């Protein structure tokens, strides 16, 4: 990509990428503004448009930049493992569990950012649990009964039409409206 001489990108922070394309410059400016608001973010765009790079870009410009930035691709992990990857589990939570339990990505990203790539592939049951994390900043690991508090920013991305999925009852409407508050579209 080409370098640009934009004052927005000359702020002393290391941008992951720059662009001479006017549309992309506007997207980057929007993402810098979004990064200053500690809320969920949804990145929309086709495969290969740089959604994961943009998520890292938002994190790097945020107040959480010195904290973890963790990524999970919701489409690449079997549904049976996804819950334990996100929420972790306690000792003996299920057959085959590690002897000492395992922290999930939500806890590991505490005070940082969790990037949920391919959010449109998240099963409905997981959507409800994710919504609870976003609304209440707490979660319950598998095999436990006591909630754990967490301070994590969720950035999600998809190439799917989530609104259409809501209409077809394939994506939770309440989660959709939580995610769409701050969004940017790559084309």
């Amino acid at each position: 990509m080409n370098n640009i001489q934009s004052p927005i990108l000359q702020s002393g922070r290391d941008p992951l990428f720059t662009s001479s394309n006017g549309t992309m410059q506007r997207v980057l400016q929007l993402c810098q503004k979004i990064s200053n608001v500690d809320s969920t973010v949804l990145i929309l765009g086709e495969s290969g448009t740089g959604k994961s790079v943009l998520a890292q870009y938002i994190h790097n410009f945020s107040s959480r930049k010195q904290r973890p930035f963790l990524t999970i691709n919701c489409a690449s992990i079997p549904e049976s493992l996804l819950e334990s990857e996100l929420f972790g589990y306690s000792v003996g939570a299920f057959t085959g569990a590690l002897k000492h339990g395992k922290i999930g990505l939500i806890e590991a990203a505490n005070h940082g950012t969790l990037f949920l790539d391919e959010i449109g592939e998240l099963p409905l049951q997981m959507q409800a649990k994710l919504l609870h994390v976003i609304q209440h900043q707490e979660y319950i690991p598998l095999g436990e009964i006591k909630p754990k508090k967490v301070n994590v920013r969720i950035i999600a991305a998809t190439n799917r039409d989530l609104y259409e999925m809501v209409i077809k009852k394939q994506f939770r409407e309440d989660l959709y409206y939580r995610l769409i508050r701050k969004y940017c579209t790559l084309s």
Side-chain angles (χ1 to χ4, degrees):
M1 294 186 184
N2 299 325
N3 286 332
I4 61 170
Q5 299 301 318
S6 168
I8 272 295
L9 297 177
Q10 300 295 327
S11 63
R13 294 185 246 182
D14 180 28
L16 292 174
F17 60 90
T18 58
S19 175
S20 60
N21 179 289
T23 301
M24 191 62 193
Q25 286 179 1
R26 287 187 291 281
V27 168
L28 294 175
Q29 290 171 350
L30 173 64
C31 288
Q32 286 180 17
K33 289 177 185 176
I34 287 173
S35 71
N36 293 321
V37 179
D38 202 22
S39 113
T40 58
V41 178
L42 180 62
I43 302 170
L44 304 168
E46 295 301 317
S47 295
T49 55
K51 294 182 298 291
S52 61
V53 175
L54 202 58
Q56 179 78 58
Y57 185 86
I58 292 168
H59 173 77
N60 287 355
F61 275 89
S62 77
S63 61
R64 297 175 183 264
K65 67 183 173 228
Q66 299 300 324
R67 300 297 188 145
F69 176 86
L70 302 178
T71 298
I72 185 168
N73 185 314
C74 300
S76 69
I77 297 179
E79 187 175 336
S80 60
L81 296 177
L82 193 56
E83 186 172 11
S84 64
E85 287 298 312
L86 285 172
F87 299 98
Y89 56 84
S90 63
V91 176
F94 54 87
T95 304
L98 296 175
K99 290 180 183 179
H100 304 291
K102 178 183 174 190
I103 68 167
L105 290 173
I106 291 171
E107 183 176 347
N110 196 22
H111 299 290
T113 303
L114 178 59
F115 175 53
L116 301 172
D117 200 5
E118 304 299 342
I119 188 84
E121 306 304 320
L122 197 65
L124 284 169
Q125 179 186 2
M126 288 296 105
Q127 292 176 29
K129 292 182 177 202
L130 177 61
L131 178 65
H132 185 83
V133 171
I134 292 169
Q135 289 178 325
H136 302 288
Q137 292 287 296
E138 68 178 22
Y139 69 101
I140 300 174
L142 287 168
E144 294 189 19
I145 57 172
K146 189 175 182 183
K148 287 187 171 186
K149 285 295 203 183
V150 69
N151 178 353
V152 63
R153 180 184 206 174
I154 303 292
I155 299 178
T158 187
N159 61 0
R160 308 230 8 225
D161 184 341
L162 293 183
Y163 183 73
E164 184 68 28
M165 291 179 71
V166 167
I167 292 169
K168 292 179 178 178
K169 307 287 186 209
Q170 297 170 335
F171 199 84
R172 290 182 60 102
E173 184 176 14
D174 45 5
L175 179 58
Y176 172 76
Y177 284 111
R178 283 290 185 168
L179 293 173
I180 202 75
R181 286 180 166 176
K182 303 280 186 254
Y183 73 94
C184 60
T185 302
L186 293 173
S187 51

